[in-house]
Amino acid sequence: MIILRTVSDVSRFVSEQKGRNASIGFVPTMGALHAGHLSLVEKAVSENDVVIASVFVNPTQFNNPNDLATYPRKEEDDFRLLAEAGVTAVFAPSVEEIYPGGVEAHAGHKFDLGQAAEVMEGKYRPGHFQGVAQIVSLLFRIVTPDRAYFGEKDFQQIAVIRNMVKSENIDVEIIACPIKRADDGLALSSRNSLLTSEQRKLAPEIYAALKDSVEYSLSHSVQATHDTVVERIDAVPGMKVEYFEIVDARTLVKIDEWEESPWVVGCITVYCGDIRLIDNIAYRLPK
Ligand code: PAF
């Protein structure tokens, strides 16, 4: 696996690959890789001639400086895992390489991300999706992939990136990949490594509550389903739901009645102590 540190290294590598008509799959990450990331890589490897992954903890998408400071960084392990998974090249730039002159110098452009960026994460993490759009669009322009792979744990992020690609006119296919879970059901996340062993034991209650609520939803209202999930998780010591919204998966707008949409998803964010975990579940899927 080739390690690329600069934009010009990537441009050279990409033009060589395009010169031989190779298709390029791209897996953007912030590192601290787990089996969820590797499942994206596996899919990318199976669908493209060449796979580029990026490892870059993007400062502009963190609205909380402490979250940025404590975000896990494990570059050596990440490179080993990516190489073993069959990645052709990894792009791991410095902050200065991506934002020359500092991040403030690059703050001008406002992305049109649509209504999907205003709710849930958009509401609770102001500026987060502008930061995601900024880095993902930049990486897309540098890597110029045919396909890019994202995990459905960040369900809203995928919708926002699809909107960004449309409004910025970027020619790339966005591929959504299913959530990977630990054996006890906890959605895999780089942030799981920050949980204490006690918190790690309790965290699977998030998915347990979501999963049980799918059956419950068949005979209860949207509001009752919402409440049963929130009450169950809030009853766990040290856990607090920040938001749980049951939404039309196509627009991310909240629904009041199940009949409002053929595709309904519940998106949740829970604080386990100071660690913020997200997850989601489908209540109704289009036939
Ligand atoms: O999902 C993530 O890890 C990040 O938001 C992404 C897409 C790599 C952009 O920094």
Side-chain angles (χ1 to χ4, degrees):
M1 183 180 74
I2 304 167
I3 297 171
L4 305 165
R5 294 285 184 185
T6 66
V7 173
S8 59
D9 284 349
V10 179
S11 302
R12 206 170 311 117
F13 177 78
V14 166
S15 62
E16 276 164 24
Q17 300 308 322
K18 300 231 159 169
R20 61 175 196 97
N21 262 330
S23 60
I24 297 181
F26 179 45
V27 183
T29 82
M30 296 206 298
L33 301 180
H34 49 68
H37 295 111
L38 299 178
S39 72
L40 309 184
V41 169
E42 194 185 323
K43 189 160 169 60
V45 166
S46 74
E47 294 179 349
N48 299 277
D49 299 320
V50 161
V51 173
I52 302 177
S54 61
V55 173
F56 180 67
V57 181
N58 172 40
T60 69
Q61 70 188 77
F62 286 81
N63 57 321
N64 174 345
N66 189 46
D67 193 20
L68 173 60
T70 57
Y71 199 84
R73 289 162 168 87
K74 303 176 177 175
E75 192 178 84
E76 224 174 279
D77 291 347
D78 291 343
F79 288 179
R80 181 179 44 78
L81 290 168
L82 291 172
E84 284 169 8
V87 163
T88 325
V90 61
F91 179 37
S94 64
V95 172
E96 179 58 25
E97 179 68 16
I98 292 294
Y99 301 116
V103 293
E104 282 75 24
H106 300 262
H109 183 66
K110 278 269 164 287
F111 292 85
D112 174 7
L113 305 175
Q115 154 79 12
E118 302 302 315
V119 296
M120 300 191 287
E121 293 296 280
K123 192 160 131 207
Y124 286 88
R125 299 183 72 187
H128 168 65
F129 283 131
Q130 285 295 324
V132 170
Q134 181 180 30
I135 187 61
V136 174
S137 62
L138 235 160
L139 290 169
F140 281 175
R141 293 198 200 284
I142 297 168
V143 175
T144 62
D146 297 285
R147 301 178 191 86
Y149 297 78
F150 296 88
E152 282 183 335
K153 179 173 69 66
D154 297 292
F155 192 85
Q156 187 177 7
Q157 172 171 273
I158 297 178
V160 170
I161 288 172
R162 287 192 200 281
N163 288 350
M164 178 279 285
V165 159
K166 226 181 264 166
S167 66
E168 294 289 307
N169 244 316
I170 300 178
D171 184 17
V172 57
E173 188 183 349
I174 304 297
I175 305 210
C177 304
I179 300 177
K180 278 273 170 197
R181 300 186 179 278
D183 289 345
D184 58 15
L186 180 65
L188 297 186
S189 162
S190 305
R191 288 191 166 88
N192 293 353
S193 67
L194 301 172
L195 297 168
T196 64
S197 59
E198 197 48 40
Q199 288 167 336
R200 178 63 190 80
K201 274 187 220 143
L202 297 173
E205 193 62 10
I206 301 169
Y207 182 57
L210 290 176
K211 208 166 80 168
D212 290 348
S213 74
V214 173
E215 172 85 34
Y216 185 88
S217 77
L218 300 176
S219 53
H220 291 82
S221 67
V222 172
Q223 187 63 48
T225 304
H226 169 274
D227 294 348
T228 188
V229 169
V230 173
E231 282 161 23
R232 178 164 164 185
I233 296 174
D234 278 351
V236 178
M239 280 172 53
K240 179 84 195 129
V241 174
E242 183 175 44
Y243 67 78
F244 176 48
E245 294 196 6
I246 297 178
V247 301
D248 181 331
R250 302 162 304 181
T251 58
L252 304 188
V253 170
K254 264 203 245 184
I255 59 157
D256 297 317
E257 309 288 341
W258 295 116
E259 296 68 33
E260 279 174 46
S261 169
W263 186 12
V264 178
V265 173
C267 298
I268 197 161
T269 296
V270 179
Y271 273 100
C272 261
D274 289 340
I275 312 304
R276 192 172 182 276
L277 301 178
I278 70 173
D279 203 345
N280 63 78
I281 199 150
Y283 286 105
R284 306 286 186 270
L285 283 168
K287 295 209 172 71

